[in-house]
Amino acid sequence: LKIFLADNAGFCFGVKQAMNKALSAITEKENENIFTYGPLIHNRQVIQKLEQKGLRAIENLEDAAGNTVIVRSHGVPLEFYEDAKRLNISVVDATCPFVRKVQNIARTYHDKGYCIVIVGNPDHPEVIGINGWCNNEAYIVQTESDIDKIDGCEKVCAVAQTTITLDLWDKIIKQLRQRTKILKEFNTICTATSERQISCAEIAKRVDAMIVIGGYHSSNTQKLVQISQKYCKNTYHIESVDELPIECIRDLSKIGVTAGASTPDWIIKEVIHKMSNLEQQKNENEMMDMMEEIENSFKVPRKGDVLKGKVIQVTDNEIMVNLGYKSDGIIPKEEISSDPSTNPRDIVQEGDEIEVYVLKTDDGEGNILLSKKKIDREKDWDLLERIFKSSEQKSVTVKVTEAVKGGVTAMFNEIKGFIPASQLSDSYVENLGKFVGQFLEVKVIDFNQAKRRVVFSRRAVLEEEKEKKKQLLWESMEKGKVFDGEVKRITDFGAFVDIGGVDGLIHISDLSWGKIKHPTEVVQVGDKVQTVVLDFDKERNRISLGLKQTMPEPWETVEEKYHVGEIREGKVVNLVDFGAFVELEPGIDGLVHISQIAHRHIAKASEVLSIGQTVKVKILDVDKEARRISLSIKEALEEPNAETEKDLKEFHEDEPITIGDILHSKKE
Ligand code: SF4
């Protein structure tokens, strides 16, 4: 890295003088208040140092009444001195002699009746000061268009703000010459400024980057930045060494440095020093890298080393790795993965960085024999241990590889684990072999890296899923909700149905609209049924379900289905003193009055009927409101003849006779 420092960079003569005067005043008037009228120079770091020495800037002269005020190098309007006198202020005048010269020209020619034109920035304190030496009547021209403001002036005296560019001065003077009869031109541009600008441009043309040091509010520094940018796109404006753009310039070979008129030498030195160190550091780093490379090329890795390398070739059978040693490394297919179906090309690409384990320093052909799966295995052990120890144990995916005694073996990447038969499912597993080849979600339930033992459980995952399902089911539970379920267990009082992780009970009375003696008359274990929630108690984990409620209530449609005079078949379900009840369908029982059972007189229904017997009945009456149907067996029968009556009687004496038997015998 070469550093080029521009000529005339930093403090100009005027600024140096102002600084010296200020420091002398501070020393001489140790116990007095000393102020500057506006900041002494446009440099934050310098101002901070002066403030630490007790020098403060004021904007209003009244604030310094009775004390000492330093006039900075920009100068001040003439009336300042009268005001200072009135306020009993002791003035230390540090106006730059070049500025004072401009002020004097302005006053002299103003007194001679000339219109004064100041080419410069109307807001700059130097221009405001000069204007104050010609009764504040000067025309201030910053651009060519400002010239139009000059009106009725036969005699013009033009002066320049000391820091403007020569280019601007020439343009304005050219115009003034054309428009003015008598023109007195005083090019008062300070040579320090123009020389600094010229040397800045020259250096900017031949470097990779320019560093311009100076206050962000310093107008002469800003102009240096503009000039530099014209010739060098990598121009950086900084105020102090801390802002040096290290990353942008680190790898460049030529850097130029210049600084504004308010930049002290010590800041310039700091910047150059830091860049020189950078160069030294860069050289040292390069040297170190080179040395390491040379050293590595002579070194041979040791068996068991874990190294990083770059993949230089991948085939179907191996991966070749550059480890930075004189020999390259080879990972054969069997050391890439335990899964023989793995293709090396699916694992890495050329150019990838890879971590490897050294198995042998020479595989017989001069190459270093490496293993990837050994590294992966260690990583997998670490991962499993983290999972096993974490409070929210995550599940992992394993591939079942073999059925063995008491369970199956399963691979988690490169690690072989065991799943006991009891942990393969949440129910009994008879055929372990059916799991071989399957990918299963499992939890780690036992882990011992030292003994290389890991036990997985699929059952834990299934139970967790079940629990989640159960939670969701309970959250959505409401009376009247219909669930599909499966009959799991049957007792005398009802059937237990799994409706998705939770069992509910269908009481025997809610299984059917008809009368049943046992739930098995309606459902069997394993039946898929649709049920409705009748009631539930989350605290006690109880759900009452209804099966019959999912079907229409039979009495609702009784009038449409059963008409008076029709002959139907039914089943005797109860015998009472006054007759028999016959079930036409579950939930619809009709009464056959004893007088309607047979054509002959019987004292009890049981004389001719028995429970469970199927009979033909005639519908005599249907009363939906009263939920009553009157039936007649005898009217469903033909009028018996005397012989039949006799046969019936005899037959009945031997064994209980049924209407079915009667009908059967009649047919025969
Ligand atoms: S730039 Fe020139 S005129 Fe301005 S203070 Fe410095 S020496 Fe004086």
Side-chain angles (χ1 to χ4, degrees):
L1 175 68
K2 281 192 177 158
I3 300 165
F4 299 88
L5 178 62
D7 293 337
N8 309 303
F11 278 180
C12 64
F13 164 76
V15 171
K16 257 184 212 158
Q17 179 197 260
M19 281 293 292
N20 289 340
K21 283 193 177 185
L23 293 171
S24 303
I26 291 166
T27 316
E28 283 165 20
K29 304 185 178 195
E30 204 178 344
N31 298 318
E32 291 178 33
N33 289 325
I34 308 176
F35 301 96
T36 58
Y37 193 54
L40 189 67
I41 59 172
H42 285 137
N43 186 290
R44 211 155 38 93
Q45 289 73 20
V46 175
I47 294 295
Q48 277 169 1
K49 281 193 186 289
L50 291 172
E51 276 176 357
Q52 284 163 7
K53 291 180 185 292
L55 194 71
R56 283 192 295 122
I58 51 161
E59 298 297 333
N60 188 350
L61 201 54
E62 313 276 330
D63 295 342
N67 292 298
T68 298
V69 171
I70 300 168
V71 173
R72 56 189 174 171
S73 58
H74 300 315
V76 287
L78 197 53
E79 66 262 27
F80 170 90
Y81 298 96
E82 287 158 23
D83 292 342
K85 200 171 173 187
R86 181 174 49 80
L87 293 167
N88 192 26
I89 289 171
S90 162
V91 175
V92 175
D93 199 344
T95 305
C96 171
F98 298 124
V99 176
R100 175 53 48 79
K101 185 180 148 194
V102 190
Q103 292 170 341
N104 285 333
I105 293 169
R107 184 164 70 162
T108 305
Y109 279 86
H110 180 261
D111 290 350
K112 285 181 184 174
Y114 279 74
C115 290
I116 306 297
V117 171
I118 307 171
V119 183
N121 177 354
D123 299 322
H124 194 280
E126 182 190 313
V127 174
I128 294 167
I130 297 167
N131 197 14
W133 285 66
C134 54
N135 211 23
N136 295 314
E137 289 173 352
Y139 290 98
I140 299 170
V141 175
Q142 193 173 16
T143 61
E144 286 177 80
S145 61
D146 290 339
I147 296 171
D148 297 337
K149 292 189 286 189
I150 304 168
D151 191 26
C153 293
E154 281 200 2
K155 297 190 291 181
V156 169
C157 168
V159 294
Q161 180 187 336
T162 56
T163 49
I164 64 163
T165 60
L166 190 61
D167 191 37
L168 176 64
W169 171 257
D170 286 343
K171 277 183 194 160
I172 303 294
I173 286 300
K174 199 174 162 191
Q175 296 273 335
L176 285 175
R177 279 177 192 154
Q178 289 167 3
R179 298 181 183 209
T180 317
K181 269 190 186 169
I182 301 166
L183 176 66
K184 290 282 179 189
E185 308 165 20
F186 295 93
N187 175 356
T188 48
I189 298 174
C190 173
T191 52
T193 306
S194 58
E195 281 165 8
R196 185 184 294 109
Q197 290 172 354
I198 290 165
S199 58
C200 169
E202 276 174 4
I203 289 190
K205 284 176 194 167
R206 57 195 172 97
V207 293
D208 301 319
M210 273 297 282
I211 306 294
V212 182
I213 315 164
Y216 292 128
H217 300 296
S218 157
S219 85
N220 77 83
T221 308
Q222 285 167 4
K223 281 202 185 82
L224 287 176
V225 172
Q226 286 166 15
I227 290 167
S228 176
Q229 279 169 339
K230 204 167 154 187
Y231 301 106
C232 177
K233 63 178 181 3
N234 297 324
T235 293
Y236 303 98
H237 181 180
I238 62 170
E239 271 194 351
S240 68
V241 66
D242 302 332
E243 294 167 7
L244 197 61
I246 303 287
E247 291 311 316
C248 304
I249 62 171
R250 189 185 289 281
D251 297 323
L252 302 180
S253 53
K254 286 182 284 179
I255 296 177
V257 177
T258 190
S262 334
T263 309
D265 283 355
W266 57 267
I267 294 186
I268 302 173
K269 279 180 188 155
E270 272 184 348
V271 171
I272 290 177
H273 183 67
K274 187 161 184 180
M275 286 199 290
S276 305
N277 282 350
L278 200 70
E279 172 63 1
Q280 198 182 337
Q281 199 189 340
K282 197 173 138 193
N283 289 340
E284 280 171 9
N285 288 347
E286 278 174 6
M287 186 62 81
M288 294 289 284
D289 289 349
M290 213 164 76
M291 293 294 289
E292 202 179 321
E293 227 170 87
I294 293 167
E295 265 178 44
N296 280 347
S297 69
F298 287 112
K299 266 200 304 190
V300 176
R302 283 171 308 172
K303 184 183 169 188
D305 279 356
V306 174
L307 304 170
K308 274 189 182 157
K310 200 170 225 177
V311 175
I312 49 175
Q313 198 185 6
V314 188
T315 69
D316 288 340
N317 296 314
E318 62 189 22
I319 299 170
M320 192 159 257
V321 184
N322 177 3
L323 298 163
Y325 294 100
K326 65 177 180 193
S327 305
D328 289 327
I330 283 185
I331 317 173
K333 192 173 176 178
E334 61 276 15
E335 286 300 329
I336 294 168
S337 164
S338 298
D339 184 351
S341 64
T342 302
N343 188 324
R345 294 179 202 274
D346 298 334
I347 305 284
V348 287
Q349 307 288 316
E350 283 168 21
D352 285 356
E353 193 173 78
I354 189 170
E355 205 171 16
V356 289
Y357 178 89
V358 178
L359 291 172
K360 263 189 195 175
T361 52
D362 190 338
D363 66 350
E365 290 180 16
N367 293 313
I368 306 163
L369 187 64
L370 305 170
S371 172
K372 178 181 180 297
K373 75 175 183 187
K374 215 165 164 47
I375 296 282
D376 292 343
R377 196 179 292 150
E378 290 312 306
K379 285 182 184 166
D380 290 339
W381 277 113
D382 290 347
L383 178 61
L384 283 182
E385 184 174 23
R386 276 203 304 279
I387 290 172
F388 180 66
K389 286 182 177 169
S390 78
S391 52
E392 278 177 44
Q393 212 200 73
K394 281 187 196 162
S395 58
V396 292
T397 305
V398 296
K399 186 179 179 185
V400 178
T401 47
E402 199 183 350
V404 293
K405 194 181 169 198
V408 295
T409 55
M411 296 298 291
F412 170 70
N413 300 334
E414 292 299 328
I415 294 181
K416 188 188 263 189
F418 178 63
I419 311 178
S422 61
Q423 297 296 328
L424 261 174
S425 171
D426 54 352
S427 55
Y428 175 69
V429 175
E430 203 165 316
N431 178 12
L432 296 174
K434 73 174 183 183
F435 289 96
V436 175
Q438 283 187 25
F439 288 91
L440 304 177
E441 280 286 297
V442 294
K443 297 262 179 187
V444 183
I445 55 169
D446 192 14
F447 180 90
N448 188 328
Q449 190 171 356
K451 292 184 180 170
R452 292 296 203 225
R453 192 182 71 216
V454 58
V455 180
F456 301 118
S457 168
R458 178 174 177 246
R459 182 176 163 177
V461 173
L462 296 174
E463 279 172 357
E464 192 178 271
E465 280 171 6
K466 239 177 169 180
E467 192 52 38
K468 275 186 199 156
K469 231 168 138 187
K470 211 166 157 182
Q471 291 299 328
L472 284 174
L473 192 128
W474 274 112
E475 277 163 27
S476 68
M477 185 67 66
E478 57 187 56
K479 282 186 193 175
K481 191 163 180 176
V482 175
F483 285 95
D484 287 326
E486 184 180 332
V487 178
K488 290 286 177 190
R489 194 158 54 91
I490 293 177
T491 64
D492 289 345
F493 54 87
F496 287 91
V497 178
D498 176 3
I499 55 169
V502 182
D503 283 357
L505 171 68
I506 309 178
H507 191 265
I508 189 167
S509 59
D510 290 312
L511 274 169
S512 168
W513 288 110
K515 286 187 185 65
I516 54 171
K517 283 188 177 154
H518 197 269
T520 47
E521 290 174 39
V522 181
V523 289
Q524 304 299 323
V525 170
D527 281 359
K528 303 273 191 268
V529 289
Q530 201 173 51
T531 62
V532 63
V533 177
L534 303 178
D535 204 357
F536 64 93
D537 183 342
K538 194 176 173 186
E539 302 299 306
R540 296 166 66 203
N541 210 21
R542 287 194 180 165
I543 304 170
S544 298
L545 300 170
L547 180 66
K548 71 177 187 188
Q549 288 81 354
T550 61
M551 297 171 241
E553 213 272 72
W555 282 100
E556 285 302 311
T557 53
V558 73
E559 285 176 341
E560 285 107 74
K561 287 194 282 186
Y562 301 100
H563 305 106
V564 173
E566 280 177 351
I567 307 288
R568 293 295 186 98
E569 220 170 52
K571 190 166 77 178
V572 178
V573 289
N574 201 7
L575 297 174
V576 290
D577 290 348
F578 51 87
F581 285 96
V582 173
E583 183 191 70
L584 295 172
E585 65 176 89
I588 301 280
D589 293 352
L591 173 65
V592 185
H593 190 263
I594 195 158
S595 61
Q596 292 295 329
I597 291 176
H599 287 287
R600 65 181 173 86
H601 173 76
I602 54 171
K604 283 182 181 173
S606 57
E607 285 178 26
V608 289
L609 295 173
S610 58
I611 288 174
Q613 183 182 346
T614 302
V615 291
K616 277 198 172 158
V617 288
K618 184 175 182 181
I619 297 169
L620 302 181
D621 186 35
V622 178
D623 186 343
K624 180 183 167 186
E625 300 312 312
R627 299 191 163 220
R628 257 195 333 240
I629 295 185
S630 300
L631 305 169
S632 171
I633 294 173
K634 75 176 184 188
E635 286 194 28
L637 297 170
E638 285 172 23
E639 193 81 26
N641 54 36
E643 199 180 328
T644 308
E645 282 282 306
K646 184 173 162 267
D647 289 347
L648 270 174
K649 201 174 173 209
E650 282 170 3
F651 189 70
H652 182 67
E653 276 168 0
D654 293 342
E655 57 181 272
I657 196 164
T658 66
I659 292 294
D661 294 335
I662 295 168
L663 293 174
H664 188 64
S665 68
K666 268 175 78 73
K667 263 185 197 164
E668 279 179 349

